[in-house]
Amino acid sequence: MPDQPLSIFAVSGRAMSAQLVRMNTTASNLANAGAVASSPETAYRTIKPVFRTNFDKASGMATVDVENVVSAGDAPTKRYDPTNPVADKDGNVWVSNVDETRELVDMMETSRSYQNNVEVMQTAKSLIIDTLKLGK
């Protein structure tokens, strides 16, 4: 697509794809909140997407892409729980430090951003249809 200017549909579509990755990482974080492991290396760590903005000179529009997904947040917390089946020889487990409140806020924000892009596409479609009707 580098030879053609970007359409509003391409811009919104790429933004929706990026938000889908963000929603999936948030869902993964929430699913692993409170998960325990036998070592800090194997404990779940919060993941977040890293976005990159690309500017299209031909159209003057910017798009967003997911550049990477990285670990973020605090390190897992060590907790003494000798009855846990995954406890190490000293009776310790490491609990993921997923901030559930932050993840829920991210989920709401992501959902709203996705919906805004759906509305942009619907509005652009309606405008194109209305423009075509003018010729009749």
Side-chain angles (χ1 to χ4, degrees), residues 2-111:
D3 297 329
Q4 296 177 332
L6 291 171
S7 73
I8 191 66
F9 297 105
V11 172
S12 289
R14 288 168 78 172
M16 289 169 66
S17 292
Q19 292 304 324
L20 183 59
V21 171
R22 184 177 176 199
M23 183 65 78
N24 286 336
T25 58
T26 301
S28 179
N29 292 338
L30 285 170
N32 286 288
V36 295
S38 58
S39 72
E41 294 80 22
T42 59
Y44 184 83
R45 293 180 183 263
T46 301
I47 55 175
K48 296 288 180 186
V50 176
F51 297 116
R52 178 176 25 99
T53 303
N54 296 309
F55 184 73
D56 181 59
K57 292 179 185 176
S59 66
M61 294 185 185
T63 61
V64 65
D65 292 308
V66 177
E67 187 172 86
N68 200 1
V69 176
V70 297
S71 294
D74 297 331
T77 304
K78 184 166 103 173
R79 184 178 74 204
Y80 183 70
D81 187 1
T83 61
N84 193 307
V86 298
D88 66 8
K89 62 181 175 46
D90 298 322
N92 296 314
V93 294
W94 278 261
V95 182
S96 67
N97 254 352
V98 174
D99 183 344
E100 293 171 83
T101 303
R102 178 180 294 162
E103 296 302 319
L104 288 171
V105 169
D106 278 354
M107 185 173 279
M108 290 184 340
E109 185 180 299
T110 302
S111 177

